[in-house]
Amino acid sequence: MEVIESFENNLNLKCKLQVLSRADGSAMFSEGQTVVLSAIYGPVEVKMQKLLIEKASVESVFKPKSGLPGVSDRYKEYLIKNICETALASALYPRTAVLVNLQEMQNQGQLISCAINAVCLACLDSGIDMKFLFGAVSYFLTKEEELTLTPPINESSVKAMFVFVFNNTKGDVIASHTEGRFSIDQYKTALDICRDEVKKVFIFFKETLLDT
Amino acid sequence: MSELSPADFYLPGEIIRNLKSKDREVIIGPGLCRNESDTKSLIASQAGYLCFRAPNTYWLEGRRNRYIPKKADLVLGIVTKKSSDNLKVDIGSAESASLSMLAFEGATKKVKPDVNVGDVIYAKVINAHKEMEPELVCIDQYYKAGKLGVLSNEGFVINLKQKLIQQMLNPENPLLRTLGRKFPYEIVIGVNGKVWMRANQCKDVLTLCRAFQIAEYQKETDIIGICRQFK
């Protein structure tokens, strides 16, 4: 189980699968200096109040590096739950639950996109049926109106942040998240660049799974 | 398995074209689903290598960890609940399976089999619809038990990865034979990942456990190579 690295792109992705022995699928994923550990359990037995007759219910838990989970962590859980519900072929497993656990290890700004990619790799590792893959890319707008893929070292110099999540079938946006102030043109540029960049993420996913 | 090439590797959502089956009729196995917009192609729903068996069966050979019950699977389960005429058996799927007390050889309404909570049972899945709980039986179509039924309490149960289970069930795989040459043992393999085994000494059981746990993380070709050294 060696760590798979990708230096070809400037996203600087690294990944290790099957890091947890008891989870159905797990992945340690890093984007630059941001690291997230994710685990998937499923399909497992569901609690009565969360039972859905026609499909599997997805539950996600995000654990911050230290302290108790706050409102922003709840938001990430909600975002990941929504993405998983669209991407997993949940109609194949009615009256079951799929549990997604995430643990933040290090944060250097790309936490949301890193978490989403980690979840996708954990899903692939667990062998759960999916309709499509999803990959996320973060993009930053600095105070000097510069657009960059690598997060600025100083957090105060970030004016806005974009996170786009794409699927691998048609390259559609399946989720997006933005913070800060920006113009419509900047948003469009970011979207176009992220759409190109996510292809490298998918290539990285394929390389990772081929090697392990 | 050596003929698997990276070109046959698919990820969920990727479209599989160039199906070489007769009469354009395709039987699809795990990891694949139909493409609604183009009936000549398939869509992968798991990550894995595309496998084909003539004349028209396709499936994806990938990683699969959680057991999903399928009809006619031979599984190993642990009894978790006992009522007057039904047993609940944990077979590692999302829902525990039900096993009727009458589904044992020679069982009648008055003569019930001696099964207790915690017993290990080797059974066949007779009903595995995704909307219903899986149903098990311990008899074949002639009402005989055969190899099915309650397993001895002297055995030892471990969980293994589905990939290794598939390899061990392949009669050409030398792993079990090589171990059998070293010491005698009994083994029952359920396709749900649970394995029951018994040997004369506790030491031998531990050797088996260790061997399987190491084999989980080895490639099939490596396992065959290591087994050859012991010939």
Side-chain angles (χ1 to χ4, degrees), chain B residues 99-116:
Chain B
L99 172 58
S100 167
M101 282 287 208
L102 298 170
F104 288 87
E105 187 182 326
T108 59
K109 283 223 164 173
K110 286 195 179 140
V111 187
K112 282 182 180 155
D114 179 30
V115 189
N116 296 309

Side-chain angles (χ1 to χ4, degrees), chain A residues 24 95 125 127 129-130 212, chain B residues 12 45-46 63 65-66 94 131:
Chain A
D24 290 323
R95 300 178 305 121
D125 183 43
D129 285 272
M130 298 166 86
T212 42
Chain B
S45 68
Q46 290 174 355
R63 41 189 93 221
N65 297 334
R66 179 66 57 166
E131 315 280 353

Side-chain angles (χ1 to χ4, degrees), chain B residues 200-229:
Chain B
N200 290 335
Q201 295 170 50
C202 185
K203 194 184 84 188
D204 296 344
V205 177
L206 290 172
T207 314
L208 287 173
C209 289
R210 189 91 188 99
F212 295 146
Q213 273 158 5
I214 292 168
E216 269 185 341
Y217 294 101
Q218 303 271 341
K219 287 199 181 88
E220 192 175 17
T221 45
D222 293 349
I223 296 173
I224 294 168
I226 291 164
C227 288
R228 254 190 214 128
Q229 291 171 17

Side-chain angles (χ1 to χ4, degrees), chain A residues 143-189:
Chain A
K143 285 259 161 68
E144 290 83 45
E145 303 289 315
E146 272 177 56
L147 286 161
T148 163
L149 272 170
T150 44
I153 297 157
N154 197 348
E155 204 184 326
S156 58
S157 63
V158 178
K159 195 183 172 199
M161 182 185 80
F162 312 86
V163 179
F164 296 103
V165 187
F166 301 90
N167 68 12
N168 71 332
T169 45
K170 287 179 185 145
D172 298 329
V173 178
I174 55 171
S176 87
H177 167 73
T178 51
E179 283 170 25
R181 284 166 59 115
F182 49 85
S183 68
I184 294 173
D185 283 339
Q186 283 163 336
Y187 181 86
K188 281 180 179 161
T189 336

Side-chain angles (χ1 to χ4, degrees), chain B residues 37-209:
Chain B
S37 53
D38 176 16
T39 48
K40 280 178 195 165
S41 60
L42 299 170
I43 297 181
S45 68
Q46 290 174 355
Y49 293 94
L50 184 69
C51 299
F52 171 71
R53 182 180 288 167
N56 49 17
T57 313
Y58 282 92
W59 74 97
L60 273 193
E61 194 74 55
R63 41 189 93 221
R64 214 161 293 129
N65 297 334
R66 179 66 57 166
Y67 174 64
I68 313 258
K70 292 271 149 36
K71 201 176 168 179
D73 273 357
L74 291 165
V75 295
L76 216 69
I78 295 156
V79 179
T80 52
K81 217 178 188 179
K82 186 185 174 185
S83 59
S84 59
D85 49 1
N86 249 315
L87 296 165
K88 283 266 171 281
V89 185
D90 172 25
I91 54 168
S93 59
E95 211 172 352
S96 33
S98 84
L99 172 58
S100 167
M101 282 287 208
L102 298 170
F104 288 87
E105 187 182 326
T108 59
K109 283 223 164 173
K110 286 195 179 140
V111 187
K112 282 182 180 155
D114 179 30
V115 189
N116 296 309
V117 172
D119 279 355
V120 182
I121 281 181
Y122 186 48
K124 189 174 205 167
V125 180
I126 196 158
N127 190 1
H129 197 264
K130 62 181 176 182
E131 315 280 353
M132 291 159 66
E133 65 176 2
E135 213 175 305
L136 307 176
V137 285
C138 283
I139 42 174
D140 59 14
Q141 68 261 49
Y142 307 111
Y143 301 102
K144 292 283 176 247
K147 297 244 164 32
L148 305 173
V150 182
L151 299 174
S152 156
N153 273 337
E154 286 154 33
F156 197 81
V157 177
I158 56 166
N159 285 305
L160 293 174
K161 288 227 174 356
Q162 302 250 314
K163 204 175 109 193
L164 183 67
I165 296 286
Q166 301 294 342
Q167 288 172 14
M168 291 205 291
L169 287 171
N170 181 3
E172 276 159 31
N173 194 288
L175 179 60
L176 297 180
R177 248 177 290 139
T178 315
L179 286 165
R181 252 180 243 127
K182 294 275 163 203
F183 50 82
Y185 65 91
E186 252 183 292
I187 190 163
V188 179
I189 301 171
V191 284
N192 55 344
K194 291 191 196 306
V195 171
W196 175 96
M197 53 213 171
R198 176 166 70 179
N200 290 335
Q201 295 170 50
C202 185
K203 194 184 84 188
D204 296 344
V205 177
L206 290 172
T207 314
L208 287 173
C209 289

